[in-house]
Amino acid sequence: MNNILVCVKAVPATTSVQVDGQYRLKREGASLQWNIADESALEAALSLKDKDGTVTVVTMGPPKLEAPLQDLLARGCDRVVLITDRLMAGADTRATAGALRAAAKRLGPADLILCGRRAIDGETGQVPGELASALGIPCVSNVEKLEWEKDRLLLHRRLETGVEVLSARGPLVVSVCEYAYSLRLPGILSMRRARGKTVERYSAADLGLTAEQCGLKGSLTKVTAMESKFPGLRNGPKETDPAKGIQALRAMLREVQP
Amino acid sequence: MISQNALHHAEKCRFCWMCRHLCPVQHQTGREVNTPRAKGLLLSMANKGTQPFDKDMAQAMYECLLCDACTNDCATGYQPPLFIREARTEAVVNELAPEAVMKLIDNALETGNIYGVEKPSYGQDGTDVLVYIGEVAAIQVPQMAKNLLAVLKKAGVSAKVLANEPASGVMLGDLMGYTEEVRQQAKACADAINAAGLPVVVLDSYDAEIMKQKYPEWGCEIKTDVTTATAYVAKLIASGKLEAKAGTGVQGACHDDDRLARTFHEFAPIRAMAKAAGYEVGEMFSREKLAKSCGTAVAYGYMPALVEKIAASRWEDLKRSGCAAMLTASPQAYLCLSLCVPEGKALVDLYAALV
Amino acid sequence: MSQEILVLCPFGLDAGLLSKAAELLPGRVRAFVPAREQAEAALYGANIIHTLNCGEIVDEAALADLLAEKLKLWGSSIVLAPATIRMRNLMPMLAWKLDAGLTADCTALEMAGSDLVQTRPAFGNSLMASIRSLSRIQMATVRPGLFRPAARPNPKAEIIPESCHIREQRLRHVAFQPFSQGKPLSQAGIIVAGGMGVGSKEGFRKLSVLAEKLGAGLAASRSAVDAGFAPYRCQVGMTGVTVCPRLYIAVGISGAVQHLAGMSGSEKIVAINSDPKAPIFGYADYGIVGDWETVIDQLLKEELS
């Protein structure tokens, strides 16, 4: 029996972002969706579960995530947990990893913890490593394929120059690449099974966390300034005669070609 | 469980009533419950708990062709088929779907097609294109499948047809919404097509729609180009590979298949085919983007009498146009229109006309 | 307390990053590099060089454990590493052990008193955030290859050999399959990118032939990837790769913000689009208004002749 814990994050579905007075992303009002790499991690977990095991999902965010979490039950997850508390607002990756560690401890031992390799809003990709370190277990990042090989996991990790294949023994944290797996839809049977199941809620107090360990207060990095940096206009000349255009492009290619 | 997105679409109706004038089902039944806005209202009431989601409500959700005419004309920009599909999922999950519907679903899950019979084999193993026939043409309109293959042969195209062609998932998707079971069918189909490695020509626009719209979203995209058979044949005509025929002097009107028209905005190819087949091309009302559905194979499977009425109403449109022939290249349209061909009018399979 | 920067490059030296560290705190730079790169580390400004002499390290967590112990002895106040995939995995583990704040993938660094001000893009490139660490040790990963290496020869650099004994094999190396296409997109000098305007997989095959002829990378906009014209690994933009080649040729790309976020750092941008009003022209150094296929066919013809 393999217990898999998947940590997911909801990110704004929009591409236009606003920040508040403390340079935190404004999340109210914006419609949320699961981070794309996290969907990949969810499907990786569900595919492993197809053979054997259970899948528990944990996320940290506002109460309105209950409905999308319920939807994950319909897709075949066994248990879904929402960490939600005003104290948690503004958490950096460290405070987030701290909250996830506390939740993981409370949920009981997991053989495998899966995360997306990065979130499209923060793009730090640091939570998996910090969480692994907090739990004292290894972390393998950027994985695009996971499969059981007897009692070990075979991991295909995408590096800059190629794919490294690793064999791992749990417990460990694995971060999964976006688009590596595409999340299944709710199925008729899993929807029937999910009827009556509910979202479990944890507050900071439930996890034994104090205000100092949470959110903005529990963070070790501070954003001190933020500016909008829209790509600069270059407004180069526009050529309508293809022959002339190709000539100019040729010249530019010659400049950069070795 | 209805998704937030679907509820959003269901609840934003402004009661402008315009969809009542377009819904081909409501036109025939005259029942208020058959309008798209009524379905939205019902779902919204079920969500609020003021009306139970019961067998009657489920029945209402199935009295719809998913033709998307309502979306096309919705003043608020909402998409009734989106929540109607989810309502069908809800109905199946809670075992409230009509029996006739459940029969088709069971067939599709067990045998891969709603008819529960084996698909014929074509023994074609060409190298230029893979022709995806689809279960409706294969089982219900077999001559159209053969005619398409003959047209391709005539144009010098070497075509392959998959032995044991898997279901595309479109029938199951219409019957019970887009669930994991449908995605699994889609994946198996995409795998089989990708293994062939040839560009795909899809006879049934319903299959083409799900392949092009849903497969990429579901992580099972087809790696080669997917073209509707009509667009492909029109290209063969344009490039001179398929010779045009002499004029017949007959005036025919093209029936725009609703998914071809509204999903792909594809209107020109069948008109080009009609011309090449020697017809003088006339026009009916409710064409192109406003295409009126004449029924679907799935709906015919569980409510044949109503579909026959809907098809008959399309023939009325033809009569009003003054044309003598109804021209179609859609197996599903052919199936429905063939139920009630009026005297003095002809139903023409454009592929047959081009052989 | 005196300040010191530790530049961590156990899997390969980033000479530009080392030069930058030497510029930020001249004379107070410690480097941790593979033994084979000792000379290079001395050339680019390291004062103390720890040379790692051991086989392939598979388990980054084990190396993080080792480094956490070492750092207690060294007392470095700033820890920098190139934001490669392996270092972006190792640094968070180290940061947790050191109770240090960590900023990912910075694009600029400067000192403000004893504070390291770390600048990084957020939400694609549409926002730039300046970040300070609140912890005693300040840590950041820096986009690889961002700073130009500047030689600061340091022949008197102190060399300290280090070894690494990894006790238990929680992770085992099984195989390595190198990418056939060589360099990753993020390091390509020239990129040929296609958008919806390219219209089909067939069109992308043409672009890929051109890219191969030019020794360029092939990229795509998100909508082209969504439409199935090109695989995801080609996607440039907010949900794909960020690139900064010397020449970016945008073919049939309209110029959505998400895409601009991923390529606006390119040295030169050429846009080819039939719509003269396409936003991409505003962000290009040179635009060709016309049918992309005519232009590409002509280029291919010239390349072949």
Side-chain angles (χ1 to χ4, degrees), chain A residues 117-118 159-161, chain C residues 7-9 11-18 20 80-89 103-109 119 121 140-149 184-188 241-245:
Chain A
R117 79 171 175 117
R118 63 168 188 185
L159 295 175
E160 282 90 349
T161 53
Chain C
V7 178
L8 277 180
C9 298
F11 307 115
L13 180 68
D14 186 329
L17 178 59
L18 189 55
K20 181 71 185 178
L80 302 178
T84 58
I85 291 166
R86 302 197 67 181
M87 288 312 289
R88 282 189 73 167
N89 191 34
T103 306
D105 207 18
C106 298
T107 53
L109 297 171
T119 303
T141 58
V142 183
R143 195 164 287 183
L146 188 74
F147 301 115
R148 291 205 183 282
L185 206 49
S186 56
Q187 284 170 28
V241 197
T242 304
V243 295
C244 38

Side-chain angles (χ1 to χ4, degrees), chain A residues 182, chain B residues 129-133 162 165-170 183-228 264, chain C residues 199-202 204-205 224-232:
Chain A
S182 72
Chain B
V129 294
L130 176 71
V131 178
Y132 185 88
I133 304 283
L162 291 173
E165 184 184 83
S168 69
V170 72
R183 181 171 163 270
Q184 287 303 329
Q185 278 200 343
K187 278 179 84 168
C189 182
D191 287 346
I193 290 174
N194 285 330
L198 294 173
V200 195
V201 174
V202 186
L203 173 52
D204 194 329
S205 62
Y206 285 60
D207 295 314
E209 181 191 44
I210 196 168
M211 286 176 188
K212 288 185 82 133
Q213 304 257 310
K214 288 290 166 190
Y215 283 22
E217 189 185 319
W218 292 343
C220 55
E221 63 162 334
I222 292 171
K223 299 203 161 61
T224 47
D225 286 323
V226 178
T227 318
T228 59
F264 298 119
Chain C
S200 66
K201 282 180 198 158
E202 207 51 60
F204 263 84
R205 270 195 279 280
V225 170
D226 284 350
F229 300 163
Y232 170 66

Side-chain angles (χ1 to χ4, degrees), chain A residues 48-127:
Chain A
L48 291 174
K49 182 202 146 160
D50 284 341
K51 297 229 163 64
D52 177 32
T54 65
V55 174
T56 303
V57 181
V58 61
T59 188
M60 187 163 99
K64 71 168 170 186
L65 289 180
E66 283 215 7
L69 279 170
Q70 196 83 42
D71 168 73
L72 293 182
L73 287 173
R75 291 181 202 243
C77 298
D78 299 282
R79 203 174 158 189
V80 294
V81 177
L82 173 63
I83 306 173
T84 185
D85 201 311
R86 283 251 154 234
L87 291 175
M88 306 258 185
D92 74 349
T93 62
R94 186 183 175 84
T96 305
L100 291 175
R101 170 180 69 162
K105 292 250 176 211
R106 190 180 154 141
L107 286 165
D111 304 292
L112 175 64
I113 299 181
L114 294 182
C115 305
R117 79 171 175 117
R118 63 168 188 185
I120 59 156
D121 53 355
E123 288 189 311
T124 71
Q126 291 178 176
V127 171

Side-chain angles (χ1 to χ4, degrees), chain C residues 217-233:
Chain C
L218 178 69
S221 70
R222 174 162 185 180
S223 42
V225 170
D226 284 350
F229 300 163
Y232 170 66
R233 67 182 151 77

